[in-house]
mmCIF file of all heavy atoms in Angstrom:
data_model
loop_
_atom_site.group_PDB
_atom_site.id
_atom_site.type_symbol
_atom_site.label_atom_id
_atom_site.label_comp_id
_atom_site.label_asym_id
_atom_site.label_seq_id
_atom_site.Cartn_x
_atom_site.Cartn_y
_atom_site.Cartn_z
ATOM 1 N N ASN A 1 14.803 16.178 9.357
ATOM 2 C CA ASN A 1 15.015 14.841 8.830
ATOM 3 C C ASN A 1 16.523 14.578 8.918
ATOM 4 O O ASN A 1 17.307 15.269 8.264
ATOM 5 C CB ASN A 1 14.519 14.771 7.377
ATOM 6 C CG ASN A 1 14.765 13.429 6.744
ATOM 7 O OD1 ASN A 1 15.857 12.877 6.817
ATOM 8 N ND2 ASN A 1 13.733 12.914 6.101
ATOM 9 N N ALA A 2 16.912 13.610 9.721
ATOM 10 C CA ALA A 2 18.339 13.395 9.985
ATOM 11 C C ALA A 2 19.106 12.880 8.770
ATOM 12 O O ALA A 2 20.291 13.174 8.621
ATOM 13 C CB ALA A 2 18.517 12.436 11.155
ATOM 14 N N SER A 3 18.465 12.137 7.907
ATOM 15 C CA SER A 3 19.192 11.583 6.765
ATOM 16 C C SER A 3 19.324 12.574 5.605
ATOM 17 O O SER A 3 20.264 12.489 4.823
ATOM 18 C CB SER A 3 18.526 10.296 6.271
ATOM 19 O OG SER A 3 17.230 10.572 5.787
ATOM 20 N N MET A 4 18.405 13.522 5.516
ATOM 21 C CA MET A 4 18.415 14.472 4.399
ATOM 22 C C MET A 4 18.845 15.877 4.823
ATOM 23 O O MET A 4 19.128 16.719 3.980
ATOM 24 C CB MET A 4 17.029 14.556 3.766
ATOM 25 C CG MET A 4 16.413 13.208 3.513
ATOM 26 S SD MET A 4 16.309 12.603 1.857
ATOM 27 C CE MET A 4 15.940 13.898 0.817
ATOM 28 N N GLY A 5 18.820 16.139 6.141
ATOM 29 C CA GLY A 5 19.172 17.467 6.624
ATOM 30 C C GLY A 5 18.114 18.521 6.326
ATOM 31 O O GLY A 5 18.392 19.708 6.367
ATOM 32 N N GLN A 6 16.896 18.078 6.053
ATOM 33 C CA GLN A 6 15.818 19.014 5.730
ATOM 34 C C GLN A 6 14.926 19.264 6.930
ATOM 35 O O GLN A 6 14.608 18.342 7.690
ATOM 36 C CB GLN A 6 14.960 18.468 4.582
ATOM 37 C CG GLN A 6 15.711 18.351 3.280
ATOM 38 C CD GLN A 6 14.875 17.680 2.203
ATOM 39 O OE1 GLN A 6 14.096 16.780 2.472
ATOM 40 N NE2 GLN A 6 15.059 18.124 0.969
ATOM 41 N N GLU A 7 14.512 20.519 7.067
ATOM 42 C CA GLU A 7 13.587 20.887 8.137
ATOM 43 C C GLU A 7 12.216 20.279 7.862
ATOM 44 O O GLU A 7 11.690 20.386 6.768
ATOM 45 C CB GLU A 7 13.473 22.409 8.219
ATOM 46 C CG GLU A 7 12.556 22.870 9.317
ATOM 47 C CD GLU A 7 12.395 24.385 9.351
ATOM 48 O OE1 GLU A 7 13.285 25.105 8.865
ATOM 49 O OE2 GLU A 7 11.360 24.835 9.872
ATOM 50 N N ARG A 8 11.659 19.604 8.873
ATOM 51 C CA ARG A 8 10.316 19.018 8.780
ATOM 52 C C ARG A 8 9.257 19.925 9.381
ATOM 53 O O ARG A 8 8.195 20.101 8.811
ATOM 54 C CB ARG A 8 10.271 17.680 9.523
ATOM 55 C CG ARG A 8 10.877 16.521 8.806
ATOM 56 C CD ARG A 8 10.655 15.193 9.558
ATOM 57 N NE ARG A 8 9.352 15.120 10.179
ATOM 58 C CZ ARG A 8 9.139 14.804 11.467
ATOM 59 N NH1 ARG A 8 10.139 14.525 12.276
ATOM 60 N NH2 ARG A 8 7.921 14.752 11.943
ATOM 61 N N LEU A 9 9.541 20.454 10.570
ATOM 62 C CA LEU A 9 8.550 21.237 11.302
ATOM 63 C C LEU A 9 9.229 22.307 12.143
ATOM 64 O O LEU A 9 10.350 22.106 12.624
ATOM 65 C CB LEU A 9 7.758 20.342 12.270
ATOM 66 C CG LEU A 9 6.860 19.261 11.695
ATOM 67 C CD1 LEU A 9 6.440 18.300 12.801
ATOM 68 C CD2 LEU A 9 5.636 19.883 11.045
ATOM 69 N N THR A 10 8.538 23.413 12.360
ATOM 70 C CA THR A 10 8.955 24.415 13.346
ATOM 71 C C THR A 10 7.860 24.479 14.406
ATOM 72 O O THR A 10 6.682 24.647 14.075
ATOM 73 C CB THR A 10 9.147 25.798 12.697
ATOM 74 O OG1 THR A 10 10.191 25.713 11.732
ATOM 75 C CG2 THR A 10 9.529 26.835 13.745
ATOM 76 N N LEU A 11 8.250 24.308 15.654
ATOM 77 C CA LEU A 11 7.309 24.314 16.777
ATOM 78 C C LEU A 11 7.408 25.641 17.510
ATOM 79 O O LEU A 11 8.502 26.070 17.875
ATOM 80 C CB LEU A 11 7.624 23.158 17.725
ATOM 81 C CG LEU A 11 7.780 21.775 17.075
ATOM 82 C CD1 LEU A 11 8.184 20.744 18.109
ATOM 83 C CD2 LEU A 11 6.504 21.372 16.356
ATOM 84 N N ARG A 12 6.253 26.269 17.724
ATOM 85 C CA ARG A 12 6.197 27.555 18.416
ATOM 86 C C ARG A 12 5.208 27.475 19.560
ATOM 87 O O ARG A 12 4.171 26.837 19.431
ATOM 88 C CB ARG A 12 5.758 28.657 17.450
ATOM 89 C CG ARG A 12 6.766 28.987 16.386
ATOM 90 C CD ARG A 12 6.242 30.079 15.440
ATOM 91 N NE ARG A 12 7.263 30.474 14.491
ATOM 92 C CZ ARG A 12 7.507 29.849 13.349
ATOM 93 N NH1 ARG A 12 6.795 28.790 13.006
ATOM 94 N NH2 ARG A 12 8.460 30.273 12.538
ATOM 95 N N GLY A 13 5.525 28.147 20.653
ATOM 96 C CA GLY A 13 4.616 28.169 21.794
ATOM 97 C C GLY A 13 5.270 28.659 23.070
ATOM 98 O O GLY A 13 4.590 29.166 23.952
ATOM 99 N N HIS A 14 6.581 28.516 23.160
ATOM 100 C CA HIS A 14 7.274 29.007 24.350
ATOM 101 C C HIS A 14 7.373 30.529 24.310
ATOM 102 O O HIS A 14 7.514 31.126 23.241
ATOM 103 C CB HIS A 14 8.683 28.411 24.454
ATOM 104 C CG HIS A 14 8.715 27.035 25.027
ATOM 105 N ND1 HIS A 14 8.367 26.761 26.326
ATOM 106 C CD2 HIS A 14 9.061 25.844 24.464
ATOM 107 C CE1 HIS A 14 8.505 25.465 26.553
ATOM 108 N NE2 HIS A 14 8.918 24.886 25.435
ATOM 109 N N GLY A 15 7.333 31.139 25.482
ATOM 110 C CA GLY A 15 7.455 32.583 25.592
ATOM 111 C C GLY A 15 8.863 33.042 25.901
ATOM 112 O O GLY A 15 9.083 34.222 26.186
ATOM 113 N N GLY A 16 9.809 32.145 25.864
ATOM 114 C CA GLY A 16 11.198 32.476 26.141
ATOM 115 C C GLY A 16 12.124 31.544 25.398
ATOM 116 O O GLY A 16 11.686 30.634 24.681
ATOM 117 N N VAL A 17 13.412 31.766 25.590
ATOM 118 C CA VAL A 17 14.444 30.914 24.994
ATOM 119 C C VAL A 17 14.131 29.454 25.326
ATOM 120 O O VAL A 17 13.766 29.131 26.455
ATOM 121 C CB VAL A 17 15.837 31.285 25.561
ATOM 122 C CG1 VAL A 17 16.897 30.305 25.111
ATOM 123 C CG2 VAL A 17 16.196 32.712 25.198
ATOM 124 N N VAL A 18 14.270 28.574 24.345
ATOM 125 C CA VAL A 18 14.097 27.139 24.587
ATOM 126 C C VAL A 18 15.472 26.578 24.939
ATOM 127 O O VAL A 18 16.409 26.676 24.159
ATOM 128 C CB VAL A 18 13.486 26.426 23.370
ATOM 129 C CG1 VAL A 18 13.272 24.951 23.680
ATOM 130 C CG2 VAL A 18 12.176 27.090 22.958
ATOM 131 N N SER A 19 15.581 26.023 26.146
ATOM 132 C CA SER A 19 16.889 25.674 26.697
ATOM 133 C C SER A 19 17.137 24.176 26.853
ATOM 134 O O SER A 19 18.228 23.777 27.244
ATOM 135 C CB SER A 19 17.073 26.365 28.044
ATOM 136 O OG SER A 19 15.934 26.179 28.856
ATOM 137 N N SER A 20 16.133 23.338 26.567
ATOM 138 C CA SER A 20 16.340 21.898 26.692
ATOM 139 C C SER A 20 15.340 21.141 25.833
ATOM 140 O O SER A 20 14.206 21.588 25.648
ATOM 141 C CB SER A 20 16.227 21.455 28.158
ATOM 142 O OG SER A 20 15.025 21.902 28.739
ATOM 143 N N VAL A 21 15.788 20.008 25.293
ATOM 144 C CA VAL A 21 14.935 19.135 24.486
ATOM 145 C C VAL A 21 15.240 17.684 24.824
ATOM 146 O O VAL A 21 16.382 17.344 25.146
ATOM 147 C CB VAL A 21 15.120 19.346 22.962
ATOM 148 C CG1 VAL A 21 14.671 20.712 22.536
ATOM 149 C CG2 VAL A 21 16.541 19.085 22.520
ATOM 150 N N ALA A 22 14.203 16.832 24.763
ATOM 151 C CA ALA A 22 14.391 15.395 24.976
ATOM 152 C C ALA A 22 13.282 14.637 24.265
ATOM 153 O O ALA A 22 12.125 15.056 24.282
ATOM 154 C CB ALA A 22 14.381 15.054 26.460
ATOM 155 N N PHE A 23 13.645 13.531 23.633
ATOM 156 C CA PHE A 23 12.686 12.638 23.001
ATOM 157 C C PHE A 23 12.333 11.507 23.962
ATOM 158 O O PHE A 23 13.193 11.031 24.710
ATOM 159 C CB PHE A 23 13.287 12.008 21.745
ATOM 160 C CG PHE A 23 13.382 12.919 20.562
ATOM 161 C CD1 PHE A 23 14.561 13.611 20.306
ATOM 162 C CD2 PHE A 23 12.309 13.068 19.697
ATOM 163 C CE1 PHE A 23 14.672 14.436 19.199
ATOM 164 C CE2 PHE A 23 12.412 13.894 18.579
ATOM 165 C CZ PHE A 23 13.589 14.585 18.336
ATOM 166 N N ALA A 24 11.084 11.048 23.905
ATOM 167 C CA ALA A 24 10.666 9.873 24.670
ATOM 168 C C ALA A 24 11.019 8.614 23.888
ATOM 169 O O ALA A 24 10.894 8.588 22.663
ATOM 170 C CB ALA A 24 9.167 9.910 24.932
ATOM 171 N N GLN A 25 11.464 7.597 24.586
ATOM 172 C CA GLN A 25 11.803 6.316 23.966
ATOM 173 C C GLN A 25 10.510 5.611 23.551
ATOM 174 O O GLN A 25 9.628 5.396 24.377
ATOM 175 C CB GLN A 25 12.577 5.451 24.977
ATOM 176 C CG GLN A 25 13.009 4.117 24.458
ATOM 177 C CD GLN A 25 14.132 4.215 23.452
ATOM 178 O OE1 GLN A 25 15.001 5.062 23.559
ATOM 179 N NE2 GLN A 25 14.107 3.352 22.474
ATOM 180 N N GLY A 26 10.385 5.278 22.269
ATOM 181 C CA GLY A 26 9.242 4.507 21.799
ATOM 182 C C GLY A 26 7.913 5.241 21.832
ATOM 183 O O GLY A 26 6.857 4.617 21.749
ATOM 184 N N GLN A 27 7.943 6.559 21.972
ATOM 185 C CA GLN A 27 6.716 7.352 22.041
ATOM 186 C C GLN A 27 6.786 8.456 20.994
ATOM 187 O O GLN A 27 7.847 8.762 20.468
ATOM 188 C CB GLN A 27 6.566 7.998 23.430
ATOM 189 C CG GLN A 27 6.602 7.039 24.590
ATOM 190 C CD GLN A 27 5.298 6.311 24.779
ATOM 191 O OE1 GLN A 27 4.238 6.851 24.523
ATOM 192 N NE2 GLN A 27 5.375 5.069 25.212
ATOM 193 N N ASP A 28 5.655 9.098 20.747
ATOM 194 C CA ASP A 28 5.571 10.201 19.780
ATOM 195 C C ASP A 28 5.747 11.543 20.484
ATOM 196 O O ASP A 28 5.079 12.513 20.150
ATOM 197 C CB ASP A 28 4.209 10.134 19.064
ATOM 198 C CG ASP A 28 4.062 11.203 17.989
ATOM 199 O OD1 ASP A 28 5.033 11.452 17.257
ATOM 200 O OD2 ASP A 28 2.973 11.803 17.903
ATOM 201 N N TRP A 29 6.614 11.615 21.488
ATOM 202 C CA TRP A 29 6.717 12.831 22.286
ATOM 203 C C TRP A 29 8.107 13.446 22.268
ATOM 204 O O TRP A 29 9.116 12.747 22.321
ATOM 205 C CB TRP A 29 6.376 12.544 23.757
ATOM 206 C CG TRP A 29 4.950 12.260 24.008
ATOM 207 C CD1 TRP A 29 4.426 11.066 24.413
ATOM 208 C CD2 TRP A 29 3.855 13.163 23.907
ATOM 209 N NE1 TRP A 29 3.069 11.188 24.550
ATOM 210 C CE2 TRP A 29 2.690 12.462 24.249
ATOM 211 C CE3 TRP A 29 3.736 14.507 23.538
ATOM 212 C CZ2 TRP A 29 1.432 13.043 24.252
ATOM 213 C CZ3 TRP A 29 2.492 15.093 23.537
ATOM 214 C CH2 TRP A 29 1.353 14.367 23.894
ATOM 215 N N LEU A 30 8.109 14.774 22.239
ATOM 216 C CA LEU A 30 9.293 15.579 22.471
ATOM 217 C C LEU A 30 8.947 16.502 23.632
ATOM 218 O O LEU A 30 7.850 17.082 23.663
ATOM 219 C CB LEU A 30 9.627 16.416 21.232
ATOM 220 C CG LEU A 30 10.792 17.413 21.384
ATOM 221 C CD1 LEU A 30 12.122 16.668 21.360
ATOM 222 C CD2 LEU A 30 10.746 18.456 20.283
ATOM 223 N N ALA A 31 9.845 16.631 24.592
ATOM 224 C CA ALA A 31 9.666 17.585 25.687
ATOM 225 C C ALA A 31 10.663 18.719 25.509
ATOM 226 O O ALA A 31 11.801 18.492 25.090
ATOM 227 C CB ALA A 31 9.897 16.909 27.034
ATOM 228 N N THR A 32 10.215 19.940 25.818
ATOM 229 C CA THR A 32 11.088 21.113 25.736
ATOM 230 C C THR A 32 10.942 21.936 27.007
ATOM 231 O O THR A 32 9.841 22.105 27.532
ATOM 232 C CB THR A 32 10.740 21.985 24.505
ATOM 233 O OG1 THR A 32 9.365 22.381 24.561
ATOM 234 C CG2 THR A 32 11.001 21.234 23.220
#
């Protein structure tokens, strides 16, 4: 949560270091 600095969720599923993140404009998607 950007305004409170509190963790909302932890996402797990990658089998290696996560090296990139991007949000979609106007969508409910994050790509890693």
Side-chain angles (χ1 to χ4, degrees):
N1 177 312
S3 64
M4 313 253 322
Q6 295 174 324
E7 181 183 336
R8 282 186 38 231
L9 294 167
T10 297
L11 310 176
R12 291 179 175 85
H14 279 294
V17 172
V18 182
S19 48
S20 53
V21 295
F23 285 95
Q25 181 72 35
Q27 304 282 327
D28 183 41
W29 289 113
L30 175 75
T32 57

